Amino acid sequence: MDLDDRGVVVACGQCGQKNRFAYERLGDAVRCGKCKAMLPAPAAPIDVDSSAHFDRLIAMSSLPVVVDYWAPWCGPCRMVAPELQKVAARQAGKYLIVKVNTDVLADLGERFSIRSIPTMAVFAGGREVGRTAGARPANEIDAFVQQAAQKVQSTK
Ligand SMILES: [Zn+2]
């Protein structure tokens, strides 16, 4: 899975054709453009490859976006990775989970003032609505994201 200017690009499990979940319609059902198979909602964390794609996602996403700021040398980050996998699988179609390597995308780390890793943040409606630092098990990540996302709904 990859991010591009317009959405999450996913290869069809049946025929391999690349399809796009548009950012502004994440959470909607998508059929493969070639073989018409139903494509499952993204159920794993996605690596962010550029800050431009990150900005598009945050600005346009119809789902809350959970961002994991991490780096390969960080031990606690490696503990968080499998927990995030679990959350992504459980919450497929409800949140999108992305990973920002702050060594590669140092500009994002700087712009969002990430002082320690791992740090997790929730974005909804184009802005950050929650942040927590340190490793967490899947259940606590779930609770944190739900709380942050609810805060947005209640202020609407
Ligand atoms: Zn297909």
Side-chain angles (χ1 to χ4, degrees), residues 12 15 32 35:
C12 172
C15 74
C32 173
C35 75

Side-chain angles (χ1 to χ4, degrees), residues 11-17 19 31-37 39:
C12 172
Q14 300 293 320
C15 74
Q17 170 77 25
N19 291 272
R31 277 182 193 280
C32 173
K34 194 173 170 191
C35 75
K36 310 295 175 204
L39 299 172

